[in-house]
Amino acid sequence: MRFADVKNDIAFRKIFGDEKKKIILISFLNAIQQREGDARIKDISIGNPYQPPILPDFKSTILDVRARDYAGVTYIVEMQIANKGNMDKRALYYTSKEYSGQILEGEQYSELNPVIFIGVFNYPFSRGSDYLSHHAICNVKTGERIIKEVDFYFIELTKFQTPEAALTTVTEKWIYFLKEARNLAVIPENVDDEGLKEAYKYANRDTWTKTELDAYDNASIHRRDLENELEFAVKKATEEATEKAKKEGREEEKKEIAKALITAGADVQFIIKITGLSQQEIENL
């Protein structure tokens, strides 16, 4: 088998956005939210179902899937490959927009239903070491939740280090699939969840059409081009900031370089490596 990189635009939308294989997205949503028993999602309606690309050079510009369960809860599942900054604001904006857009002016607030955002990041996003975190609005002092209409789940793939042999929960197996599927040749023996099994089958590029394969390859090229552009921008910003700091003889040379890298969208860990500043110092900038 040749499994696709699930982080690829075409693969992500094909696997999670197919109405004919809703079992995949349902399984994923239950696993990430760790729902059990009667709390498990039974059925969903996918709001932007996947359509096979018409042209070989098709490139999706949005790596998200939206769905609604039959309790009225909306789910936004978004994949982010590169850290372009302001992801916290982006998540809040899209979630708020989805929430407020449920009713028109004059309609009752009681018609509003919860919105849950699930972000999959291929870079460190939070300060902690947890690869899966749940964020909600609560009383900072007591932890009480009065506002229960919006939730955020963040999956940080770079923090997930559990090897295949040590996977035990369906949550771990799903995150392993997101991160490692492209490096596998067979479905892991410990996969016993039907939705995850279907995800592996759908990720098998040997079953894809030529049009899908061409679109997948072009999406990969497009992604590499974006990564190269970001790398060039970071390099240029670093060189310009370094030269400026040398000319002016500033004592805060490292901070100037860090500011330029932040503006260019560089990853925090990269900035730490280049400047030697601490994560706290960089966040203060």
Side-chain angles (χ1 to χ4, degrees), residues 21-282:
K21 293 292 182 179
K22 292 189 292 185
I23 186 176
I24 295 175
L25 184 56
I26 290 172
S27 169
F28 176 74
L29 294 175
N30 283 325
I32 297 306
Q33 297 175 82
Q34 300 178 347
R35 293 185 177 224
E36 298 180 350
D38 294 338
R40 291 177 63 83
I41 300 169
K42 305 296 191 303
D43 197 6
I44 57 173
S45 175
I46 297 177
N48 51 346
Y50 169 78
Q51 296 293 331
I54 298 174
L55 300 174
D57 61 350
F58 170 85
K59 291 190 286 284
S60 173
T61 57
I62 302 175
L63 280 79
D64 75 353
V65 171
R66 298 175 186 234
R68 178 171 295 182
D69 67 19
Y70 285 86
V73 180
T74 296
Y75 302 89
I76 303 173
V77 184
E78 181 161 327
M79 174 74 74
Q80 280 287 326
I81 306 303
N83 183 3
K84 298 180 180 179
N86 295 317
M87 189 58 219
D88 53 342
K89 297 180 184 296
R90 177 186 174 92
L92 182 59
Y93 173 77
Y94 279 111
T95 303
S96 302
K97 185 176 181 182
E98 191 74 33
Y99 183 74
S100 62
Q102 295 179 70
I103 61 173
L104 300 175
E105 184 177 353
E107 294 182 330
Q108 299 299 313
Y109 292 125
S110 58
E111 298 297 318
L112 292 167
N113 290 303
V115 177
I116 296 175
F117 180 96
I118 299 176
V120 184
F121 307 132
N122 197 39
Y123 55 87
F125 180 64
S126 65
R127 295 184 185 179
S129 59
D130 294 339
Y131 56 81
L132 173 60
S133 57
H134 178 197
H135 303 256
I137 299 173
C138 67
N139 183 313
V140 174
K141 184 176 181 180
T142 67
E144 178 186 12
R145 286 196 65 185
I146 297 176
I147 302 174
K148 303 177 181 179
E149 297 291 280
V150 290
D151 285 86
F152 301 87
Y153 290 84
F154 299 135
I155 302 169
E156 300 173 65
L157 297 181
T158 55
K159 295 180 181 179
F160 185 78
Q161 303 297 330
T162 307
E164 180 182 327
L167 301 175
T168 56
T169 68
V170 66
T171 303
E172 292 174 341
K173 294 172 185 178
W174 260 112
I175 297 176
Y176 183 82
F177 167 76
L178 293 173
K179 184 177 181 180
E180 301 291 350
R182 64 174 179 172
N183 299 319
L184 305 178
V186 296
I187 300 175
E189 294 182 359
N190 58 16
V191 172
D192 47 15
D193 180 86
E194 290 302 318
L196 183 52
K197 285 182 180 178
E198 286 298 317
Y200 270 104
K201 292 177 182 177
Y202 245 39
N204 180 11
R205 288 184 290 157
D206 292 335
T207 65
W208 291 16
T209 66
K210 183 180 184 303
T211 301
E212 288 176 325
L213 289 171
D214 288 343
Y216 174 84
D217 289 339
N218 284 326
S220 295
I221 293 172
H222 179 60
R223 171 183 159 188
R224 285 196 295 271
D225 288 344
L226 291 177
E227 291 174 344
N228 289 334
E229 289 176 8
L230 177 59
E231 182 179 347
F232 177 77
V234 169
K235 181 179 179 181
K236 183 178 180 181
T238 301
E239 292 174 347
E240 291 177 350
T242 301
E243 186 63 26
K244 179 180 178 181
K246 286 181 178 179
K247 287 181 178 180
E248 297 181 3
R250 294 189 177 186
E251 294 181 359
E252 295 188 341
E253 177 182 339
K254 292 182 179 180
K255 291 184 178 180
E256 289 297 319
I257 295 174
K259 288 178 182 179
L261 290 172
I262 291 169
T263 302
D267 180 83
V268 172
Q269 297 303 316
F270 179 81
I271 300 175
I272 291 173
K273 181 179 179 180
I274 293 296
T275 65
L277 296 175
S278 68
Q279 182 168 330
Q280 186 61 53
E281 289 176 312
I282 294 170

Side-chain angles (χ1 to χ4, degrees), residues 2-17:
R2 295 183 304 147
F3 294 115
D5 181 355
V6 185
K7 299 181 290 296
N8 176 283
D9 302 42
I10 299 298
F12 181 78
R13 292 293 298 277
K14 176 178 173 64
I15 294 167
F16 290 104

